Amino acid sequence: MRKLTCQGNVRYWALGISVALHAAALAVFTGVRLSDNMTGNVSNRPSVSMQMIETVIEQPAPVPKPKVEPISKVEPEPEPEPKPELKPEPEPLVTEEKLSPQPVPEPVEIVEPVPSAPKPVVHEVEFFGQKSIVQRICYVVDCSGSMYGQMYRVKEQLKQSIMKLNPQQAFCVLFFMDGRQILMTGSGRLESATVGAKSQAFGLINKIKPAGSTDASHALECAMRLRDKNKHSPEVIYFLTDGFDLDDSGSQLFVEKIGRLRNSLAPAAVLHTIGFWPQDRDRMMLERLAQNASGNYIEVQ
């Protein structure tokens, strides 16, 4: 504000001096002209005075100084924060392995594994080397007194065969002894080979003791009448014996009777025969029985 007041005073002083000079010059000029008119004479005053007056009059009016705006206070910009000094990363050590050229691996084609289909269940059964792929099995085992001393082998083979069956298969074990007496598993039918059914069969097998005479025809008839829960007959029958108490005519009649029973009760059943130390006549009967029913005969010594 003080600076602005000084500038205003200077301007007023310059304007006052200019006005005073012009007024003085006008007064001198007017006085000279009046004195000349009044006297009628031409003044011989030196022209220097007039020139000086004209010079004064011709002086330009003082130009006022330009108005200067006050300089506003400018706040200093904040200094930028110093950037953290970045330390150069250490160069990796160069080893001989890095210097040596590395082989470029060939591109490997990625093949998505195709999910494999579940393996089908194989319904296989084996008894004394006779193998079959079936679902319904019946074991017909001679348990007469003549089998005494051989039953331990029969029991072991029975357990191994039954143990390998799967639950989709059905089975029955039938023991014949002492005339027409028959003992069997599964409550008289072909039962699924579950853990419980196998355990029950093993219990009966362990209790069996050979006794009595041999009557195989009734036992084979019972086997051919067996059915599973869907009323299906056996697909394979394993018939094991050490022989028959029959003469030649009786042997012939026996073979013919078993053939008729099979045709009427279980025509699709395969009959495999197993002979334990059989005599010649008994061996021939067993071979004919197996041949007539699409089966095989094996002999155990």
Side-chain angles (χ1 to χ4, degrees):
M1 293 296 293
R2 185 176 182 182
K3 188 174 184 180
L4 290 176
T5 304
C6 294
Q7 289 178 355
N9 294 333
V10 171
R11 186 183 306 169
Y12 294 150
W13 277 103
L15 183 58
I17 292 172
S18 177
V19 172
L21 289 175
H22 280 77
L26 182 60
V28 172
F29 180 74
T30 304
V32 172
R33 297 290 292 180
L34 289 176
S35 60
D36 289 340
N37 291 332
M38 292 178 63
T39 57
N41 296 325
V42 178
S43 177
N44 295 324
R45 294 177 183 177
S47 59
V48 176
S49 300
M50 291 298 296
Q51 291 177 355
M52 291 176 60
I53 295 171
E54 290 178 357
T55 302
V56 172
I57 294 173
E58 291 176 359
Q59 289 293 329
V63 179
K65 293 184 179 181
K67 184 179 180 180
V68 179
E69 297 292 336
I71 301 175
S72 59
K73 185 178 181 181
V74 180
E75 295 182 0
E77 296 183 358
E79 296 183 1
E81 296 182 0
K83 296 183 179 180
E85 184 180 357
L86 298 178
K87 296 183 179 180
E89 297 183 357
E91 297 183 357
L93 298 177
V94 180
T95 60
E96 295 182 357
E97 295 181 356
K98 293 185 178 180
L99 293 176
S100 60
Q102 299 294 327
V104 179
E106 297 181 358
V108 179
E109 183 180 359
I110 300 176
V111 180
E112 295 184 359
V114 178
S116 57
K119 295 182 179 180
V121 178
V122 179
H123 305 296
E124 187 180 66
V125 60
E126 181 180 359
F127 187 50
F128 277 104
Q130 292 277 16
K131 293 183 180 181
S132 302
I133 299 178
V134 291
Q135 289 184 278
R136 299 179 298 278
I137 310 103
C138 181
Y139 305 89
V140 180
V141 179
D142 184 356
C143 195
S144 61
S146 58
M147 285 293 295
Y148 188 84
Q150 302 292 335
M151 284 304 296
Y152 74 95
R153 298 179 61 186
V154 176
K155 289 181 179 181
E156 290 300 319
Q157 288 291 324
L158 275 172
K159 291 179 181 179
Q160 292 179 17
S161 179
I162 294 171
M163 181 63 70
K164 294 179 181 179
L165 299 178
N166 60 65
Q168 286 74 37
Q169 293 174 294
F171 76 102
C172 179
V173 182
L174 189 152
F175 295 99
F176 62 96
M177 66 186 74
D178 195 15
R180 297 175 64 89
Q181 183 179 357
I182 295 175
L183 297 175
M184 66 176 68
T185 63
S187 301
R189 72 172 189 175
L190 296 169
E191 190 171 0
S192 298
T194 61
V195 176
K198 292 178 181 180
S199 178
Q200 182 184 11
F202 291 169
L204 178 61
I205 292 170
N206 292 332
K207 294 178 181 179
I208 289 294
K209 294 181 179 180
S213 59
T214 303
D215 184 2
S217 62
H218 180 59
L220 289 171
E221 181 179 354
C222 290
M224 294 176 186
R225 291 184 181 275
L226 287 173
R227 297 292 184 268
D228 65 358
K229 61 182 180 180
N230 297 320
K231 302 186 183 302
H232 294 149
S233 60
E235 293 179 277
V236 65
I237 298 173
Y238 290 106
F239 175 48
L240 185 150
T241 184
D242 63 344
F244 309 89
D245 298 329
L246 299 172
D247 53 16
D248 292 341
S249 61
S251 298
Q252 181 66 28
L253 293 174
F254 180 85
V255 172
E256 293 175 356
K257 180 181 179 180
I258 299 303
R260 291 193 301 269
L261 290 172
R262 175 178 176 270
N263 292 336
S264 61
L265 299 176
V270 175
L271 181 61
H272 295 305
T273 58
I274 304 167
F276 259 76
W277 300 86
Q279 297 181 2
D280 294 341
R281 183 187 296 114
D282 298 330
R283 182 184 300 109
M284 292 177 60
M285 286 181 62
L286 292 173
E287 288 176 349
R288 289 180 61 189
L289 287 171
Q291 185 179 1
N292 293 341
S294 303
N296 298 317
Y297 165 74
I298 62 171
E299 189 169 318
V300 180
Q301 298 288 344

